[in-house]
Amino acid sequence: MKEEKGNNNKPLKADFKLAWQTMDVEETKTMMAYAEDYKNFLDHSKTERLCAQTAMDQALSQGFLPLAHYEKKGKLKPGDKVAVLHRGKSLMLFVMGKDPLEKGMLVVGAHLDCPRLDLKPMPLYEDTDMAFFKTHYYGGLKKYQWLTIPLALYGTVVKKDGSIVNVALGDGENDPVFCITDLLPHLSQELQTKKLSEAFPGESLNPLVASRPIDGEDDKETIKATVLQWLNDQYGMTEDDFASAELEIVPAGYARDIGFDRSMIGAFGQDDRICAYAALRGIFDAKDTPQKTQCIILADKEEIGSYGNTGMQSRFFENQVAELLSLLGYADTSLALRRCFAHSLCLSADVTAAYDPNYTGTHDLTNASFAGKGVALKKYGGARGKSGGSDANPEFLAGLRQCFDEANVTWQLGEMGRVDLGGGGTIAWMLANYDMEVVDCGTPILSMHAPFEQSMKTDAYMTYKCYRSFLDYDWK
Ligand code: MN
Ligand code: MN
């Protein structure tokens, strides 16, 4: 079919292409190499703490220095690269620009926490000669997906004397794994008539952790004693140490290629580490000494509403920017901070739902994001009548179209699903509360919040290219 063009010689019809068809041979290689780096990042980032630390380590190797270094020097200059690891669970990186900081920043904000099963404060118990951990699920998950899959245990125990024990069990070559049982089909007639939302109560998500009685004891709870002995031998901890611990059950196993053509990635935690990694690589590869200060935020607690002092609703971000302003010599940091935020532009970097042809009816197909068509711009989120959504301004969107097209980013539009079906939130509205220009912009993925989420390598790469182009663009 002949392409119809308007009088400005542009195609009349909007055309959102498959990313594969927009890359030459060289760029395809770069894209596949990027996917390998991303999988490696995922494998070192099974919890928010590990993810923040992995990102911090990479930042330090890229010339970023902790804020404390600049505080000791007593000044900051254009081109300086600042890293702030906040309580071990969220991370901020800044590349100082030539413009005064009160003229605003370019911000890419992602999150690094994922839906999972947290251990309860007193997790260990024994029942019918088996030992289990009690869990409390974190974030929105479909509970049945967590049954009968290999699970790993990760986390941090802080003993009364302040010493820290890091736990990582289930991903080593010879590590044991854990597992939540499921009822056999033969006895599931009653279960299968229940509503999905009622069939798997949260109190039944208890991983099986031991079944051998401890030697030389025939008292009760001999299986539980086995676990306590093992924990003591391995980590020097006692049961009361669970009182000051953060231990998480996550799927065991590493990121894998999917498909004969290896064009896709399957892994736990791609929401939102796919955008977190894209932001990280974006700021690493962006121009040195930019005009406007570049910033990325990798925040914790998004999956439970961004509460807590490592979540985006906390003041940690404005506190750190105020510290930068103070180092730059601003006498009134609080006014300068308000000006800085009000002049900032922000991409809220979070995944969106790719249309899944196995579950039709979820999207208006003229306004859906598709796997393989690149990074997705989502003008607004929210539910029903856009309730709770942050709705981006078209003036900002127009600038982004120009920026992405100049950098040959394959991008698309899309709503999270059809009107009245559901919806979802991100950290966009919290950054918009600072009076920044904000829009949701992230990777479309399949099976979001499942223990094994799927993404397209092309979309992961285009997300990186998008964030990098945003940080590099000459915003007036
Ligand atoms: Mn997310
Ligand atoms: Mn999520």
Side-chain angles (χ1 to χ4, degrees), residues 133-178:
F133 276 151
K134 287 179 184 282
T135 67
H136 197 136
Y137 64 94
Y138 171 99
L141 49 82
K142 290 166 96 172
K143 294 171 200 142
Y144 68 86
Q145 295 176 335
W146 291 74
L147 312 183
T148 64
I149 60 169
L151 299 169
L153 175 70
Y154 278 90
T156 301
V157 182
V158 186
K159 293 195 203 160
K160 221 156 47 166
D161 65 3
S163 60
I164 290 175
V165 178
N166 289 313
V167 176
L169 196 62
D171 279 329
E173 209 180 330
N174 295 310
D175 282 359
V177 294
F178 309 96

Side-chain angles (χ1 to χ4, degrees), residues 130-283:
M130 291 179 275
F132 299 89
F133 276 151
K134 287 179 184 282
T135 67
H136 197 136
Y137 64 94
Y138 171 99
L141 49 82
K142 290 166 96 172
K143 294 171 200 142
Y144 68 86
Q145 295 176 335
W146 291 74
L147 312 183
T148 64
I149 60 169
L151 299 169
L153 175 70
Y154 278 90
T156 301
V157 182
V158 186
K159 293 195 203 160
K160 221 156 47 166
D161 65 3
S163 60
I164 290 175
V165 178
N166 289 313
V167 176
L169 196 62
D171 279 329
E173 209 180 330
N174 295 310
D175 282 359
V177 294
F178 309 96
C179 189
I180 301 172
T181 59
D182 193 6
L183 199 55
L184 61 169
H186 318 63
L187 300 182
S188 293
Q189 270 183 39
E190 283 175 16
L191 186 72
Q192 280 172 349
T193 61
K194 285 188 182 172
K195 279 205 265 178
L196 197 55
S197 59
E198 290 160 9
F200 305 96
E203 288 292 350
S204 70
L205 294 176
N206 304 317
L208 181 56
V209 298
S211 67
R212 175 178 172 171
I214 198 161
D215 291 343
E217 281 189 39
D218 50 6
D219 207 9
K220 49 183 183 102
E221 300 204 311
T222 55
I223 318 285
K224 176 174 168 177
T226 298
V227 178
L228 289 174
Q229 187 63 58
W230 192 90
L231 290 172
N232 194 258
D233 292 346
Q234 200 72 22
Y235 303 121
M237 66 179 282
T238 49
E239 191 176 18
D240 59 351
D241 287 326
F242 280 119
S244 45
E246 277 183 342
L247 292 162
E248 306 175 9
I249 296 284
V250 297
Y254 290 134
R256 303 287 296 267
D257 284 346
I258 299 181
F260 294 110
D261 55 4
R262 298 184 170 266
S263 61
M264 299 164 277
I265 296 169
F268 166 69
Q270 300 205 65
D271 172 8
D272 184 34
R273 292 171 190 152
I274 196 167
C275 295
Y277 187 66
L280 197 64
R281 281 286 297 266
I283 202 166

Side-chain angles (χ1 to χ4, degrees), residues 42 72 272 340:
L42 285 174
K72 220 162 136 191
D272 184 34
C340 170

Side-chain angles (χ1 to χ4, degrees), residues 394-412:
E395 291 84 351
F396 181 39
L397 293 172
L400 288 171
R401 287 174 58 201
Q402 186 67 30
C403 163
F404 298 165
D405 288 348
E406 274 181 28
N408 288 318
V409 175
T410 308
W411 62 277
Q412 57 181 325

Side-chain angles (χ1 to χ4, degrees), residues 273-423:
R273 292 171 190 152
I274 196 167
C275 295
Y277 187 66
L280 197 64
R281 281 286 297 266
I283 202 166
F284 291 166
D285 296 350
K287 275 184 219 150
D288 283 331
T289 321
Q291 198 65 37
K292 269 184 180 308
T293 295
Q294 302 163 338
C295 164
I296 69 162
I297 312 167
L298 309 184
D300 183 29
K301 296 288 184 280
E302 193 276 342
E303 297 293 356
I304 58 168
S306 298
Y307 300 100
N309 64 6
T310 55
M312 208 59 231
Q313 295 211 50
S314 143
R315 299 242 157 144
F316 75 81
F317 179 51
E318 52 189 281
N319 288 350
Q320 295 308 327
V321 178
E323 295 290 354
L324 298 183
L325 289 160
S326 163
L327 270 179
L328 288 164
Y330 284 91
D332 184 352
T333 53
S334 87
L335 180 62
L337 181 72
R338 284 158 188 265
R339 285 179 178 154
C340 170
F341 282 170
H343 290 116
S344 290
L345 306 177
C346 175
L347 296 182
S348 164
D350 207 343
V351 297
T352 189
Y355 171 69
D356 183 340
N358 287 312
Y359 299 90
T360 55
T362 53
H363 288 75
D364 155 22
L365 291 185
T366 49
N367 285 283
S369 299
F370 295 92
K373 293 200 162 183
V375 65
L377 261 184
K378 198 177 75 181
K379 185 177 185 293
Y380 47 82
R384 302 176 306 279
K386 300 190 179 181
S387 184
S390 178
D391 199 339
N393 297 315
E395 291 84 351
F396 181 39
L397 293 172
L400 288 171
R401 287 174 58 201
Q402 186 67 30
C403 163
F404 298 165
D405 288 348
E406 274 181 28
N408 288 318
V409 175
T410 308
W411 62 277
Q412 57 181 325
L413 295 164
E415 293 196 40
M416 177 91 161
R418 75 174 152 79
V419 181
D420 281 337
L421 179 65

